Amino acid sequence: MSGVAIVTLLVSIGIVWGGLVASIIFLNRRSEVDLFEDPDLVRDDEERAAQPHPFRDT
């Protein structure tokens, strides 16, 4: 392999793995998933589960 090919390979590997590392760090800092459940939402889910399932007779 030539020197240009090796440099291109190293740059592309750095971009791919660097993007992976950056995305992992970003998701650890700003997670969209809330680890703690809201009691109001849990109560709403339980009330909804207690209701009969709507169905259509077609």
Side-chain angles (χ1 to χ4, degrees), residues 34-56:
D34 192 12
L35 298 177
F36 303 104
E37 294 186 16
D38 186 11
D40 294 332
L41 295 177
V42 172
R43 186 189 41 161
D44 291 344
D45 288 341
E46 290 171 352
E47 290 174 0
R48 192 175 303 114
Q51 296 176 354
H53 188 275
F55 64 92
R56 293 188 336 186

Side-chain angles (χ1 to χ4, degrees), residues 3-40:
V4 175
I6 293 173
V7 169
T8 304
L9 176 69
L10 293 175
V11 168
S12 62
I13 288 173
I15 289 172
V16 170
W17 287 103
L20 177 65
V21 170
S23 64
I24 289 171
I25 291 171
F26 177 78
L27 286 174
N28 279 333
R29 289 185 181 171
R30 282 184 67 117
S31 177
E32 292 182 10
V33 177
D34 192 12
L35 298 177
F36 303 104
E37 294 186 16
D38 186 11
D40 294 332

